[in-house]
Amino acid sequence: MGITFRKETFRDDFTFKNSPEHIRRFPFPFNEDAYMYAVNIEPHVVGPKGSVLENLIDVDEHYVAEMQDRALVLAEDPLRCQSLPHMTLAGWDLLELLMEQQALGYPEHFTLERNGDRWRWINRPLGIDDTFTFGDTSTLPYGPMEYITRQSQGDFCILDQRDGNLWMDAGMVTTQADWSLDFDIGMNFFEWHAPVPLAHEKGIFTRALKFLTNIQQGKPARRLNWTMTINPRLDTSPENYHKWGPDRATVTPENVGDKVHLRVELQSFWRLPRSNGIVFPIRCYLIKMDELVTQPKWARRLHRVIRDLPEELATYKGLTRYRPTLVDWLSKLDDGSPTSPGFGPD
Amino acid sequence: MSTGTTKLDVVVSDVVPVNDLVTRFHFRRRDGELLPTFSGGAHVVVEMRDGDRTRLNPYSLMGSPLDTREYTISIRRDDVGRGGSLFMHRSVKPGLEMVISYPVNLFSLDLRAKKHLMLAGGIGITPFMAQTAQLAGGGGNFELHYTCRTASLGTYADVLRERYGNRVRLYHDDREERIDLDRLLSSQPLGTHLYVCGPAGMINWVRDRAASLGWPPETVHFEHFAAPQPGAPFDVELAVSGKTIRVGEQQSLLEAIEAAGVDPPYLCRGGVCGQCETNVISSDGKFIHNDHWLSEEDHRSGCKIMPCVSRFEGKLLVLER
């Protein structure tokens, strides 16, 4: 039994939707009625069947449409995918990781055959069947990182580790929440986190860096992050701010349920074996308010989280403009009863 | 997260004497699968079940990262050490089942380098065996300078010369050959990175000269796993676990903590990775800091200790473990 891939768009007519099963598997990021930063990192191990953690690299019903959207972004702006010269080996590491994980999790859709350095990769949803020589860039139509990340959901930052720090020296970033690879490339961990409020004072980044530089091969880790996006737009980049920024002024009490989307990033962290780099896949999940509130627990809890969010965080996440409208709309779905512990729906 | 790294069940597939002091050990996976890919400079921690003692010692992987059917390490016999190398030399035979850690790399190549200049002393050659194989496979530019006591103790010198020809220079102490270090360091092209692995004296000498000659610190890489040193026994209170333990003469503080059933994190067990850093709650005595992780200020403060390599002499030591 394979996945039924949806035909949908993340721009123009915005036909993106989650099926009922996908609503229930949505990685809701709040396990209590309030939110504050924490180094919420845990081992990235396989989770329950039917959840987004059923496989370590998740492929879902939006796969084909997301890959088509990525191709459109890259056609307009090739700088969304960059790799500094010393990162090619890490790109091969990532190609191996993603091919292995996708073939392992979804054998009906992906097949990897290895014969020494001669590898054959079959991607049925995208109609790809390529044979290439592992390690020889001339045998692929793109560099190894670009080749495989044009076929994998989520953004990918590849970090070089040196001098006790991590450096963003390669990446494929087309589904980001208002940051830019072209701006951050070559920066270290502290440099690219500089704009985040409150967390520096709490020493979070120093501890997080120490944790990340000690990530070991065979022991990936993960965390959830979240923000909100108006309309189901995957590409909310600074480069395209003029396209999505004004959307924030279009939220009305009538269209909140359809326009406002919770955007959750499942970030995982993996040590790459040949290059000793770290790859940081950022998988984006979108859900519109109308879909989210089909789970009453989530509706109640999201109301309380958004209502009580510290001002600095609301500003950083770009919620200020439509927060009152959203809180008002959500408040009608909050009867004040307690929410059960944990992330999942009741 | 649990401590240390993921473990691998292996079998010793071969034991090969290399010269009077050094023996090579080959490991394969017990299930016949390939071992994990690694990068040049990585080490594994080998678990040694020696009677009722468990020793965990790190050794550099020296095979080619391009071939993971087996892992190979080379161990120099230390007749006055704590016994790990003697155990490996005397008791480990082909067919023995052992447990090793996943590879960890704390001595990684900087892949931005235009050229890799490597300096090895003695058994410090092992990480360079893997790094040169990795670079040679990808057309990387490297040059290796290798000092050893005598030609017969030049572990793998012949192999390296055969593989890489003039890219490898040998220096023998008994012929009074010395690296002309200042000249070597002064004549490198811009963009060269320097790597040194060997005895502490050699590492210090190379780092000092490189600094004096203006090499930026980010371009100078070194690996020195301090083996834990034996010393007088001492007692320690572990405040969090509520235990009092005695650290034996031949035991490290980390090993004594583990033997008491406490499971602190570790990666290198050689005083360089920082994982086992432990807060001192109170103390009355003298610390013998042997690590390369804490700053001099940390050492003086008496507030932190690296239990993998450091010891204590005195009346009272209470640790936050």
Side-chain angles (χ1 to χ4, degrees), chain B residues 253-321:
Chain B
L253 173 52
L254 179 62
E255 288 166 349
I257 293 172
E258 289 170 336
V262 180
D263 204 14
Y266 67 86
L267 285 179
C268 78
R269 305 181 80 87
V272 297
C273 75
Q275 276 290 289
C276 69
E277 180 180 311
T278 302
N279 290 324
V280 175
I281 292 177
S282 56
S283 68
D284 178 7
K286 184 178 142 211
F287 289 92
I288 304 160
H289 290 294
N290 293 317
D291 65 278
H292 302 262
W293 170 258
L294 297 173
S295 65
E296 279 181 36
E297 197 182 320
D298 288 333
H299 283 166
R300 277 196 304 270
S301 75
C303 296
K304 289 180 192 299
I305 189 168
M306 305 304 295
C308 60
V309 290
S310 298
R311 301 185 72 88
F312 183 78
E313 282 174 3
K315 282 187 268 185
L316 173 80
L317 178 60
V318 185
L319 298 180
E320 190 183 5
R321 276 286 176 223

Side-chain angles (χ1 to χ4, degrees), chain A residues 54-338:
Chain A
E54 182 174 346
N55 292 296
L56 295 183
I57 293 292
D58 181 39
V59 175
D60 68 14
E61 63 182 4
H62 309 298
Y63 174 76
V64 173
E66 284 190 24
M67 294 303 97
Q68 287 165 349
D69 194 72
R70 167 158 289 162
L72 292 173
V73 175
L74 289 168
E76 273 178 19
D77 183 1
L79 293 178
R80 303 300 186 86
C81 176
Q82 298 190 44
S83 175
L84 298 183
H86 62 283
M87 298 302 282
T88 306
L89 186 61
W92 285 106
D93 275 331
L94 180 59
L95 175 139
E96 179 178 38
L97 169 71
L98 291 175
M99 286 185 178
E100 271 183 351
Q101 291 295 326
Q102 294 188 137
L104 180 74
Y106 309 91
E108 66 278 37
H109 299 303
F110 306 97
T111 305
L112 176 63
E113 293 168 5
R114 306 182 200 218
N115 184 4
D117 286 348
R118 281 307 267 178
W119 291 22
R120 182 179 177 199
W121 169 244
I122 305 169
N123 177 337
R124 294 179 193 88
L126 297 183
I128 292 168
D129 182 346
D130 284 338
T131 300
F132 60 95
T133 304
F134 186 87
D136 182 352
T137 305
S138 70
T139 60
L140 286 175
Y142 305 100
M145 178 191 71
E146 180 168 358
Y147 177 77
I148 195 59
T149 56
R150 278 176 177 268
Q151 302 177 48
S152 306
Q153 284 171 279
D155 287 343
F156 295 87
C157 303
I158 312 188
L159 315 177
D160 195 26
Q161 181 165 334
R162 51 179 199 266
D163 314 328
N165 211 326
L166 297 170
W167 305 80
M168 196 174 305
D169 286 350
M172 167 68 93
V173 180
T174 68
T175 69
Q176 70 272 52
D178 197 9
W179 69 278
S180 166
L181 175 71
D182 190 39
F183 188 77
D184 285 5
I185 194 145
M187 288 190 188
N188 71 33
F189 188 78
F190 295 110
E191 291 167 342
W192 84 69
H193 281 112
V196 182
L198 302 181
H200 292 276
E201 291 82 346
K202 292 174 171 282
I204 282 178
F205 292 123
T206 310
R207 272 181 289 150
L209 176 65
K210 190 168 176 181
F211 178 85
L212 291 174
T213 51
N214 279 315
I215 291 268
Q216 294 309 313
Q217 220 176 307
K219 283 183 125 180
R222 68 172 172 240
R223 69 182 285 259
L224 289 178
N225 195 14
W226 70 278
T227 185
M228 300 192 113
T229 303
I230 307 309
N231 294 323
R233 225 184 253 282
L234 279 177
D235 174 21
T236 52
S237 59
E239 289 88 345
N240 277 334
Y241 183 81
H242 59 286
K243 294 184 188 160
W244 58 267
D247 286 356
R248 298 194 288 204
T250 64
V251 179
T252 66
E254 292 70 40
N255 68 17
V256 170
D258 185 49
K259 273 202 178 270
V260 177
H261 287 70
L262 180 62
R263 179 186 196 100
V264 172
E265 293 174 356
L266 171 61
Q267 307 175 344
S268 55
F269 312 94
W270 310 65
R271 174 73 62 189
L272 295 173
R274 293 173 184 77
S275 57
N276 203 41
I278 297 245
V279 67
F280 178 13
I282 307 168
R283 176 60 198 281
C284 169
Y285 296 89
L286 290 169
I287 190 168
K288 66 177 66 189
M289 290 298 110
D290 281 340
E291 292 170 349
L292 185 125
V293 301
T294 60
Q295 311 302 317
K297 169 183 166 185
W298 288 353
R300 290 201 297 273
R301 183 170 285 168
L302 187 66
H303 168 243
R304 298 163 197 183
V305 167
I306 301 296
R307 180 191 65 196
D308 302 338
L309 197 65
E311 197 57 44
E312 299 98 314
L313 284 182
T315 307
Y316 173 65
K317 289 181 185 287
L319 274 50
T320 313
R321 184 134 202 177
Y322 56 89
R323 178 152 76 148
T325 315
L326 173 63
V327 170
D328 191 46
W329 186 82
L330 284 170
S331 71
K332 297 180 182 114
L333 300 161
D334 184 356
D335 57 6
S337 54

